Amino acid sequence: MTTQQELVRFLEDRFACAQACTDCSRACVLRVSRSGPDATDHEALVRRKAQLCAEVCDATCRMLAEQNLQEEPSLRLQAKWCLLVCLECAQVLDAQPGAEADAQACRDCAQACTEFLATLN
């Protein structure tokens, strides 16, 4: 049995995670759009990681935004996947000049996923 306070926290953390996913997805899509066709190996890696991150964040946001409450195992799995992909992307972006804000968006999303996962425990 959950209390009203736990339910409110769950919904707030769910919304915060969805918002962070949207912000991260947007940052990654913009990063991908800035990469040119003659990319170096590292730039190609950044593009692949950012594309994957954008897709996972978008899917996570859509799942969290659905009106019906998803099954907890599905939410947990999606949030964990998003968290891991965001951290990987942030790590790759750290080595890319001028990508500090994008890396931070990924870390913020990973943190929001971590906080959301804590409400599921």
Side-chain angles (χ1 to χ4, degrees), residues 24 28 31 42 45-46 49-50 53-54 57 82-96 99-111:
C24 183
C28 287
R31 175 63 42 195
H42 179 72
L45 174 65
V46 169
K49 291 290 184 177
C53 191
C57 285
C82 188
L83 184 158
L84 294 173
V85 169
C86 285
L87 290 177
E88 284 181 14
C89 188
Q91 188 175 25
V92 170
L93 289 172
D94 284 338
Q96 187 73 13
E100 296 82 10
D102 299 337
Q104 188 59 50
C106 291
R107 284 191 182 82
D108 291 346
C109 186
Q111 181 61 40

Side-chain angles (χ1 to χ4, degrees), residues 33-55:
S33 72
R34 285 185 228 129
S35 60
D38 57 341
T40 65
D41 287 344
H42 179 72
E43 290 168 338
L45 174 65
V46 169
R47 184 176 47 237
R48 283 192 310 272
K49 291 290 184 177
Q51 182 67 42
L52 176 63
C53 191
E55 291 172 4

Side-chain angles (χ1 to χ4, degrees), residues 5-50:
Q5 189 176 27
E6 289 172 327
L7 180 59
V8 168
R9 179 169 180 231
F10 170 79
L11 292 173
E12 287 174 344
D13 287 348
R14 185 174 174 147
F15 177 78
C17 187
Q19 183 62 50
C21 287
T22 298
D23 294 343
C24 183
S25 179
R26 185 178 304 119
C28 287
V29 165
L30 289 173
R31 175 63 42 195
V32 169
S33 72
R34 285 185 228 129
S35 60
D38 57 341
T40 65
D41 287 344
H42 179 72
E43 290 168 338
L45 174 65
V46 169
R47 184 176 47 237
R48 283 192 310 272
K49 291 290 184 177

Side-chain angles (χ1 to χ4, degrees), residues 61-80:
C61 179
R62 280 186 278 119
M63 180 181 235
L64 292 170
E66 289 180 2
Q67 287 186 333
N68 62 341
L69 296 176
Q70 299 288 327
E71 293 290 323
E72 184 178 322
S74 298
L75 286 172
R76 185 181 305 284
L77 183 63
Q78 187 69 36
K80 283 183 180 179

